[in-house]
Amino acid sequence: MSAPTLPAALADAIRDDASLRRFLHGLPGVDQVGVEARATALATRSIKKSSKLWAIDTAISMVDLTTLEGADTHGKVRALTAKARRPDPERPDTPQVAAVCVYPDLVATAVDGLKGTGIGVASVATAFPSGRSSRQVKLADVALAVESGATEVDMVIDRGAFLEGRYGEVFEEIQAIKAACGNAHLKVILETGELVTYDNVRRASWLALLAGGDFIKTSTGKVSPAATLPVTHVMLQAVRDWFTTTGELRGVKPAGGIRTTKDAIKYLVAVHEVAGEQWLTPDLFRFGASSLLNDLLLQRRTQHDGHYSGPDYVAVD
């Protein structure tokens, strides 16, 4: 096992399978009652009108506008890239989204539609969403995405291997995918709804960080529950503690089930209070979403105009 230069304690943790297991099972246990209570308490916080507009614009800038359906077409992706470039065509001051996320075979279409915008093109890979395939197939999946121009890759871990305690195998696969990404950023999807416990979420988060993941991501959006506030708190704690230990900033991406402005603001409060203000940037926090953007745009109009705008005023996906 090897990874980028790490402090001695972390370098020792990935020396071999036994060391990795010892490190992951030596992490402090998550206080389930405590993390759920804090998530609930922070979710009740209200913000002033001026802060709400800032929060809406910040959330828009953090959206990975996503379509991951078997019926996706090149036309649908082109329409999505147009929306990413100009989320509200009548309001040119509306921020652009962070990225458009599609399947590998549609990356080239997204790249073409976003040319010159600075908006990222993210691609799911590694036998998404199940992760049930050979490493050779997973690496080919990544190669297709990267060669087609993806600037970000969202991989899924082998949850079966993780739950069986084959941590070294999961670690090495993340490392191999990271190497295959080249200059593309790697987001590691933990599929937290299948990890069962908060302790497993913490272990999987640290495992992904140790292996070189640039982001840790909650979910594929295909499994329930997907993103939840308590799980996101645990992951934010992980990247905060990683920064404290290594000086490196890594990101978090909750995905699945975040549909309203109210939901998004709850997550932004969590980011600020759990990780810290410096994570309030698209470089370190993203929303994986398809319908969230519409509500953000409607609420943005409401904040500016003083009255509610109906869905006819924005393009509905």
Side-chain angles (χ1 to χ4, degrees):
M1 290 182 175
S2 63
T5 304
L6 295 171
L10 296 184
D12 184 66
I14 60 171
R15 186 180 56 206
D16 52 40
D17 282 355
S19 299
L20 183 59
R21 172 180 293 278
R22 188 163 49 250
F23 174 82
L24 294 176
H25 283 270
L27 292 169
V30 178
D31 177 354
Q32 178 176 344
V33 174
V35 75
E36 291 177 354
R38 189 178 187 208
T40 299
L42 290 178
T44 63
R45 289 202 179 168
S46 59
I47 60 174
K48 297 177 181 178
K49 182 174 180 178
S50 58
S51 297
K52 187 171 184 180
L53 184 55
W54 172 87
I56 290 170
D57 280 359
T58 299
I60 291 171
S61 74
M62 293 173 166
V63 168
D64 281 2
L65 192 56
T66 302
T67 184
L68 296 171
E69 303 299 332
D72 285 345
T73 63
H74 294 280
K76 183 176 182 180
V77 172
R78 281 191 288 270
L80 207 64
T81 60
K83 184 168 184 175
R85 292 195 312 269
R86 298 187 66 189
D88 188 342
E90 295 181 8
R91 309 292 172 100
D93 61 335
T94 304
Q96 295 182 329
V97 302
V100 168
C101 185
V102 296
Y103 277 113
D105 62 311
L106 292 168
V107 165
T109 301
V111 169
D112 183 63
L114 296 173
K115 197 175 300 179
T117 64
I119 298 170
V121 176
S123 176
V124 295
T126 64
F128 178 94
S130 69
R132 309 302 306 190
S133 192
S134 68
R135 190 170 301 179
Q136 182 180 7
V137 168
K138 293 178 181 181
L139 289 170
D141 214 15
V142 174
L144 172 60
V146 173
E147 290 166 8
S148 299
T151 57
E152 304 173 8
V153 171
D154 292 27
M155 71 164 286
V156 288
I157 67 166
D158 184 336
R159 282 86 75 191
F162 178 86
L163 291 170
E164 288 182 345
R166 291 183 276 132
Y167 302 133
E169 184 178 324
V170 179
F171 178 93
E172 289 171 1
E173 184 159 280
I174 296 171
Q175 276 199 312
I177 300 302
K178 173 66 175 174
C181 284
N183 293 325
H185 278 71
L186 176 63
K187 306 192 199 89
V188 182
I189 306 173
L190 309 181
E191 198 66 287
T192 54
E194 293 183 340
L195 297 187
V196 185
T197 69
Y198 294 127
D199 285 346
N200 276 341
V201 172
R202 175 166 284 171
R203 290 179 190 128
S205 296
W206 274 91
L207 180 58
L209 295 170
L210 285 164
D214 298 295
F215 266 72
I216 47 176
K217 178 178 171 181
T218 60
S219 331
T220 61
K222 306 297 186 182
V223 170
S224 183
T228 69
L229 278 167
V231 157
T232 304
H233 273 239
V234 174
M235 294 168 67
L236 288 167
Q237 290 168 5
V239 296
R240 178 200 64 201
D241 293 345
W242 177 267
F243 175 68
T244 300
T245 304
T246 68
E248 295 177 351
L249 290 163
R250 306 283 182 89
V252 174
K253 177 180 173 179
I258 305 171
R259 297 185 176 90
T260 69
T261 300
K262 186 178 293 186
D263 289 338
I265 290 174
K266 291 176 183 178
Y267 279 87
L268 294 182
V269 170
V271 172
H272 185 274
E273 296 299 319
V274 178
E277 187 174 354
Q278 61 188 321
W279 271 267
L280 288 170
T281 165
D283 291 337
L284 294 172
F285 194 78
R286 299 282 183 85
F287 292 104
S290 54
S291 60
L292 171 62
L293 181 59
N294 287 331
D295 192 66
L296 289 167
L297 296 175
L298 290 174
Q299 294 302 326
R300 188 177 193 274
R301 283 184 170 232
T302 300
Q303 292 297 306
H304 279 290
D305 300 343
H307 59 82
Y308 181 74
S309 295
D312 290 344
Y313 290 90
V314 299
V316 178
D317 299 328

